Amino acid sequence: MYFYTCSVKIVDESFLKKINWKADVMSDVWNPEKTENILKTTPKTMICDALMNQDIFSGVGNIIKNEALFRVGIHPESLIGNLPSKKLKEIISEARNYSFDFKKWKKANVLSKHFQIYHQKNCPKCGAEVVKKDTGKSKRTSFFCEKDQKMY
Ligand SMILES: [Zn+2]
């Protein structure tokens, strides 16, 4: 097992039992329905902030946030409450899907080659200039195409 730039803490079993593994997007017990219900309790939250919330999408980082939102065509500043149920389900499942691609590409050292929107100059779909902006309460950098990612 390899660890990169992280802190390691020794914990006892009682601590491990309290961890909500269902929030880990790569876990076999990850629950998209439950995730959807949690998201719906904060309709005024921007989807970019929700994706970075480690209590909801444990394991999702800024790269995954940007790439997953591009794949499903959702603007990062969209409000959860404005997303149609279909789109909400799409971004939830894409957060998991992309995490597996991320792991596979990272392992093969080809992650950045697969970036479609993250730190890109032009949108691979329409060629428009990619917008770079600090979005949401978390003020993390978002990269998006205004034409291909709809604001809800
Ligand atoms: Zn575009």
Side-chain angles (χ1 to χ4, degrees), residues 70 123 125-128 145 147-148:
F70 178 72
C123 169
K125 281 185 191 163
C126 72
C145 171
K147 198 180 148 220
D148 288 299

Side-chain angles (χ1 to χ4, degrees), residues 27-136:
S27 162
D28 291 339
V29 293
W30 188 65
N31 187 334
E33 288 83 24
K34 197 179 163 215
T35 304
E36 189 179 348
N37 291 335
I38 295 168
L39 290 178
K40 281 177 176 167
T41 62
T42 56
K44 299 259 182 276
T45 298
M46 284 183 188
I47 191 67
C48 60
D49 282 331
L51 285 163
M52 298 301 287
N53 182 336
Q54 296 300 298
D55 293 331
I56 306 173
F57 292 98
S58 181
V60 169
N62 207 32
I63 293 172
I64 297 173
K65 174 196 86 180
N66 281 295
E67 293 291 326
L69 283 171
F70 178 72
R71 278 184 174 183
V72 297
I74 297 174
H75 192 292
E77 292 176 312
S78 298
L79 300 181
I80 288 171
N82 292 344
L83 286 169
S85 182
K86 187 178 163 272
K87 295 308 283 183
L88 191 58
K89 284 184 170 71
E90 269 178 42
I91 187 59
I92 290 168
S93 81
E94 200 50 51
R96 177 174 160 93
N97 285 344
Y98 191 86
S99 295
F100 284 95
D101 283 339
F102 181 99
K103 188 183 163 205
K104 182 178 72 191
W105 292 331
K106 182 102 183 160
K107 225 174 152 184
N109 233 335
V110 292
L111 179 64
S112 60
K113 280 185 198 153
H114 287 90
F115 289 159
Q116 290 199 282
I117 200 81
Y118 185 74
H119 277 290
Q120 300 305 296
K121 233 178 134 41
N122 298 95
C123 169
K125 281 185 191 163
C126 72
E129 206 177 316
V130 170
V131 179
K132 181 185 177 189
K133 185 185 177 189
D134 292 346
T135 59

